[in-house]
Structures are given as structure tokens and as C-alpha cells.
Amino acid sequence: MGSAVTTGTRANVVVGPGQTQDPNAATSRPRPRLTQSDSLYVLGPVIFLSVWEIVGRLRVLGNGMFPSFTETIAALMNWMFGVGQISNVYANTWLQHVGVSSFRILVGFTIGAFLGVVLGALVGRFMPVSKLLDPLINALRPISVTAWVPIALLLFGTGDQPAFFLTALATFFPVYVNTVDGVHYADESYMRAARMLGASERQVLFRVVLPAAMPSIFTGLKVAMAISWTTVVIVEALGAKSGVGYVLMDTYNQFLFSYVIAAMITIGLLGAGCNYLIGLAGKPVLKWVNLKGKKK
């Protein structure tokens, strides 16, 4: 049986005849080392940005109007902070337009996600509701959101209302489909066990079926968020006077292509940020899901 021997300020643990072990050795972990393959994470973007810079400076694309990477960053800095030599009406207005677009996304996404989860749960769980609603929803689902733009502008005019409507529409379908699938694939044995314990159908739905469908629902939310950003940009480009999409289209009409790409970068970063927030919100909800062996 091992014993501890203390010498001065350092203690060694005897693990066998003539063997000692540093007590810190059990808790210390080897530092992760960067491998050659890890450098590819950096090498890919560096090559891409270098090629972009060279092509932009050589003026070989778009009749010489395609901007270089540094010109695009300069436009983005001017848009965000008003710095640099670029002079136009959008200097130092980035936060304003991002706030407008984010508000439209928040309202439309919330409405569409709520309706998608509620109707998806009802359709997936109750056959009469499925027969009533599912054929109609599946008939509307293949229609592109852009095809709804003229109708939205006709019904709501310009401004926030068509953006709310179209973003909610774009959000609804992927959330609805994933919710229906998640409810369908909920384990029947859990539902039978809940009924045997005296649970009502309402309790089975909210305490068994919906928690089991949450992984599928959050997948639908992530897909819907990407489509929502695409949709709101289209709406702003066609029927609004503010927002990132409006800036993108208006600067295109002014041949400010560095601003156009800066708006594209902004959309990508905002979409990625929203996707991250959805994943973050899903962690406590999905903490019961066993993710061992799966890539996070």
C-alpha cells in the first residue's frame, strides 16, 4: 500500500517498491502542440486574402472596379467609424443600419419561429391538425421567399412591415419542418411511460415530446436564421431606405464596390454571430442530449 513521504516542501507519493510519483503529475496535462495540419486553418485565409489583394490592385476584374482587400477594409472602417479618406453619406453610419436590420430580423424571426414550433408540434402530434394544415403548408413551402416580395410590398408598402412579414415567412418553414420531424421521431416508449404515470396528453406534449424534439427544432432555428438574413437583405435592397441591404444596393448604384463588399462582410459576420447565439441558447436546453463521439 502506497504512502506519502515529505521531504522539505515537496511531497512524493510512493507507488511501488523504489518508485515515487510527483503528485502534480496526475493533474498536469501536456500542453497542446500546433501540428503542421493546424497551420492550414491560417494558410487558407492568408492565400485567399493575398489573391484578393493582388487581383484588386491589378484591376483585372469588373473592368477594373473590383476593389482590393485593403480598399474594402478601408471602406468598412469608414462606414463603421468615419475614418479614412472616403467621403460619402454612409460614413460612421454602420451601427445605425446594423441596428435597423437586426431589429427587423429579431421581430420577424421571433414570429416565424414561434408559429413554426407551435404549428409543427400540433401537426406532428395530432392527426386531425395534420390533415387540416400540412397539405396547405407543404403547398406553400416550395414558393421562394423572393416570389413573395411583390405581395409583401403590395400589402404593407415600404418600411419595416414587409421585412417583418417576409422574415417571419422565411423563418417559419424550416422551423416547422424540423419541428414536425422531431415530434414524429420522439420515442414512443417515453410517451407510454408518461401516460402510465398519469400524465395527460398536454403534459406528454410539453414534458416528453417537445424536449425530445428540441435537437431538431434548434437545427431548424439555425437554418432559418441564415435564410432570414438573406431575406431581410433582399427586402431592404428592394423596398426600404435603411438597413445593411439598402446600403449594399445603394452603394452598388453609386459604383462604391468596396462598400458593397463591406456590406457583404457585415452580413456574414452578423449571420455567424446570430447562429452562435442560437447554439449558446440551446446548450442548457439540450444538456440532456448525449453528444459523446459527435463533432460539436
Side-chain angles (χ1 to χ4, degrees):
M1 184 173 181
S3 59
V5 180
T6 305
T7 305
T9 59
R10 182 176 178 179
N12 290 331
V13 178
V14 178
V15 295
Q19 297 179 352
T20 60
Q21 180 180 350
D22 189 338
N24 295 325
T27 57
S28 62
R29 295 180 179 178
R31 294 181 180 179
R33 296 181 179 180
L34 293 177
T35 63
Q36 187 175 3
S37 62
D38 292 332
S39 63
L40 296 177
Y41 290 114
V42 178
L43 184 61
V46 168
I47 293 175
F48 173 76
L49 295 178
S50 299
V51 172
W52 178 5
E53 181 69 19
I54 293 170
V55 169
R57 287 187 177 275
L58 293 177
R59 304 299 180 190
V60 295
L61 290 179
N63 295 322
M65 291 187 289
F66 185 81
S68 66
F69 171 69
T70 51
E71 289 172 333
T72 301
I73 295 301
L76 183 60
M77 292 298 101
N78 181 257
W79 187 18
M80 294 177 73
F81 308 113
V83 299
Q85 302 300 317
I86 303 174
S87 176
N88 74 57
V89 296
Y90 293 116
N92 201 27
T93 62
W94 183 86
L95 194 60
Q96 170 190 341
H97 290 286
V98 166
V100 170
S101 295
S102 299
F103 174 70
R104 290 167 178 162
I105 286 285
L106 178 63
V107 174
F109 183 83
T110 302
I111 295 172
F114 175 77
L115 293 176
V117 171
V118 171
L119 294 182
L122 294 175
V123 168
R125 188 78 188 104
F126 304 108
M127 185 57 67
V129 181
S130 176
K131 291 179 178 179
L132 179 67
L133 296 179
D134 198 50
L136 175 62
I137 293 174
N138 281 322
L140 295 174
R141 187 161 58 91
I143 302 175
S144 170
V145 176
T146 55
W148 288 91
V149 172
I151 301 299
L153 295 177
L154 174 66
L155 294 176
F156 303 105
T158 59
D160 290 338
Q161 285 74 22
F164 295 157
F165 171 74
L166 291 171
T167 305
L169 193 67
T171 301
F172 170 78
F173 290 113
V175 174
Y176 168 82
V177 170
N178 279 273
T179 302
V180 171
D181 285 347
V183 170
H184 278 163
Y185 290 109
D187 197 327
E188 187 68 32
S189 62
Y190 293 146
M191 289 182 267
R192 287 197 299 267
R195 293 191 191 97
M196 290 175 63
L197 293 172
S200 64
E201 284 300 317
R202 179 177 176 276
Q203 290 173 321
V204 170
L205 176 63
F206 283 98
R207 297 190 180 184
V208 179
V209 177
L210 281 180
M214 279 300 167
S216 183
I217 292 173
F218 271 89
T219 299
L221 291 174
K222 289 182 178 181
V223 173
M225 179 55 72
I227 300 175
S228 296
W229 272 106
T230 303
T231 302
V232 81
V233 168
I234 293 172
V235 178
E236 290 173 346
L238 297 178
K241 296 297 182 183
S242 60
V244 179
Y246 171 73
V247 173
L248 189 152
M249 184 56 63
D250 193 52
T251 51
Y252 168 79
N253 292 330
Q254 299 179 47
F255 299 99
L256 296 172
F257 295 104
S258 57
Y259 255 88
V260 172
I261 300 179
M264 293 169 63
I265 293 173
T266 297
I267 295 165
L269 293 176
L270 291 173
C274 290
N275 189 72
Y276 173 77
L277 291 177
I278 292 175
L280 204 62
K283 283 186 177 181
V285 179
L286 304 176
K287 61 183 178 181
W288 55 270
V289 178
N290 182 15
L291 296 178
K292 183 180 294 185
K294 294 184 180 180
K295 184 178 181 180
K296 295 182 180 181

